[in-house]
Amino acid sequence: MRAVLLWLARNAWLRARLPKLGFMRRAVRRFMPGETMDDALAAAAPLDSAGIGTLYTHLGENLTSLEAAEGVADHYARLLDRIAGARFDGEISVKPTQLGLDRDFGTCLGHLERLAEHAGRTGSWLWLDMEGSAYTELTMQLYERLRATHTRTGICLQAYLRRTAADIERLRPLDPSIRLVKGAYDEPPAIAFTNRRTVDASYAGLSVAFLVETSGRPVRFGLGTHDVALIELIAAQAGAQGIGRDAFEIQMLYGIRTAEQFRLAAAGYRVQTLIAYGDAWYPWYMRRLAERPANVAFALRSILP
Ligand code: FDA
């Protein structure tokens, strides 16, 4: 089921057609407050009242036109200004292929540098999402270049990739800020762990090691997962080594495990919700379905009257 849904996510023919269907548009609302910047910013209010921070992603990926990529960078710059004018803290998280990485590394880096500078100036942060494995090395290189001059930047790394431990070691001299996720793409066993338990073990091991090794350093570490048992295991293992809850943040997606997000914030954890919005939601939504087959039943039920 996961492999089929991830194949559907990559299919350009379906990408052009399925989002027009009413039931798809209704189903996606579960994970997305709306398609506009206003919709996304409005969703922050109840989260902010509970002490939960927000992170925004304007959906889109694999843009092939450099003009379109420039439009995306302009959009994020406007978003940073809107966040700066709002009464809550907000950060942005971008996909390199949405900023032209498929066409030109230098142009993509230029957009990222402009956004990192803007984020730093307005008191926000710029995070790089991690896409499929074809982009891992390039995204690492983008982050290395960016982090050399911009402190308020972070990168997402994927615990299912065998290379991630080495990537963390490689970034360590830069005092990197990292969001660790399990990984959302269909990767072959040669480069990725495919067994759930092994991925979870990799996730816990990488997290505790990073927290212990960077203790006292000026870094941020985000547990980008909805797996609350895993979060509590990491908190306990890190706690046993003298690392407190304030050494990490919990980052979850809007619409997933919402009650847990509020419960964890009330229990004293630092929680951030990633709010995605925009009209290019198809591949992103299909990856959310692939993460949990029960979501497919939910989507199908929304076809029924
Ligand atoms: P797991 O899949 O084990 O789920 C744990 C529990 O959470 C499930 O039992 C279920 O209750 C709930 N849950 C998880 N996914 C759900 C869903 N879709 N619908 C409903 N319930 C669900 N990936 C990537 O490759 N690159 C990236 O840049 C990012 N960025 C990112 C940012 C943030 C803030 C988050 C939370 C996640 C990502 N991801 C990502 C996605 C990540 O790789 C992973 O696919 C999902 O988080 C699902 O895995 P979990 O860690 O939540 O665990």
Side-chain angles (χ1 to χ4, degrees):
M1 172 79 95
R2 180 172 185 272
V4 170
L5 287 163
L6 290 175
W7 178 83
L8 294 174
R10 292 191 302 270
N11 188 293
W13 191 86
L14 291 172
R15 182 187 294 206
R17 287 163 182 80
L18 285 184
K20 298 198 175 100
L21 302 178
F23 85 91
M24 287 286 283
R25 303 179 71 81
R26 281 196 299 281
V28 74
R29 289 304 293 261
R30 178 178 170 203
F31 300 113
M32 206 178 78
E35 293 192 354
T36 68
M37 193 187 289
D38 284 337
D39 294 332
L41 292 169
L47 297 164
D48 179 60
S49 314
I52 299 175
T54 42
L55 193 55
Y56 299 88
T57 282
H58 182 228
L59 293 170
E61 51 202 81
N62 295 113
L63 297 193
T64 49
S65 133
L66 289 181
E67 252 177 25
E70 185 154 356
V72 172
D74 291 344
H75 178 99
Y76 276 118
R78 284 198 303 281
L79 175 59
L80 284 168
D81 287 336
R82 291 284 304 276
I83 292 171
R87 55 169 193 82
F88 50 83
D89 291 338
E91 303 178 352
I92 62 171
S93 197
V94 306
K95 288 200 180 354
T97 68
Q98 193 184 14
L99 291 168
L101 183 59
D102 281 327
R103 286 293 303 280
D104 184 46
F105 183 92
T107 306
C108 179
L109 180 61
H111 290 316
L112 290 172
E113 283 182 328
R114 176 184 148 207
L115 291 173
E117 189 278 323
H118 201 133
R121 183 161 36 84
T122 55
S124 183
W125 274 70
L126 168 69
W127 292 87
L128 300 192
D129 284 354
M130 187 57 81
E131 301 174 70
S133 56
Y135 300 103
T136 312
E137 179 53 31
L138 289 173
T139 306
M140 282 285 292
Q141 289 173 17
L142 286 169
Y143 184 63
E144 285 172 321
R145 298 280 293 273
L146 209 55
R147 180 62 189 84
T149 43
H150 299 283
T151 320
R152 297 170 77 92
T153 52
I155 183 172
C156 177
L157 295 178
Q158 297 154 326
Y160 67 6
L161 288 188
R162 296 177 190 273
R163 60 176 286 166
T164 296
D167 285 344
I168 293 177
E169 266 324 290
R170 173 174 152 190
L171 293 177
R172 275 261 306 285
L174 287 170
D175 277 337
S177 285
I178 292 177
R179 175 208 308 149
L180 190 66
V181 299
K182 289 188 186 176
Y185 297 81
D186 198 16
E187 304 292 1
I191 61 163
F193 306 116
T194 49
N195 172 288
R196 275 189 93 81
R197 282 211 185 137
T198 318
V199 175
D200 289 357
S202 160
Y203 194 101
L206 293 170
S207 299
V208 176
F210 185 83
L211 288 168
V212 170
E213 282 157 13
T214 61
S215 174
R217 304 293 314 167
V219 300
R220 286 175 63 188
F221 188 64
L223 297 176
T225 178
H226 312 97
D227 192 336
V228 177
L230 189 57
I231 292 170
E232 285 171 345
L233 175 81
I234 293 164
Q237 290 187 354
Q241 303 203 52
I243 312 290
R245 287 175 179 190
D246 56 347
F248 61 87
E249 294 150 55
I250 298 169
Q251 299 172 332
M252 294 195 188
L253 301 178
Y254 176 89
I256 299 183
R257 303 210 109 175
T258 308
E260 283 296 309
Q261 297 186 26
F262 282 84
R263 185 188 70 76
L264 289 163
Y269 285 100
R270 287 157 61 203
V271 182
Q272 216 179 17
T273 300
L274 191 153
I275 301 175
Y277 67 97
D279 56 9
W281 44 259
Y282 173 75
W284 178 87
Y285 175 61
M286 296 308 279
R287 289 196 294 274
R288 302 291 79 79
L289 295 186
E291 282 157 4
R292 196 158 176 260
N295 289 340
V296 177
F298 180 88
L300 289 175
R301 268 204 304 278
S302 67
I303 307 181
L304 301 172

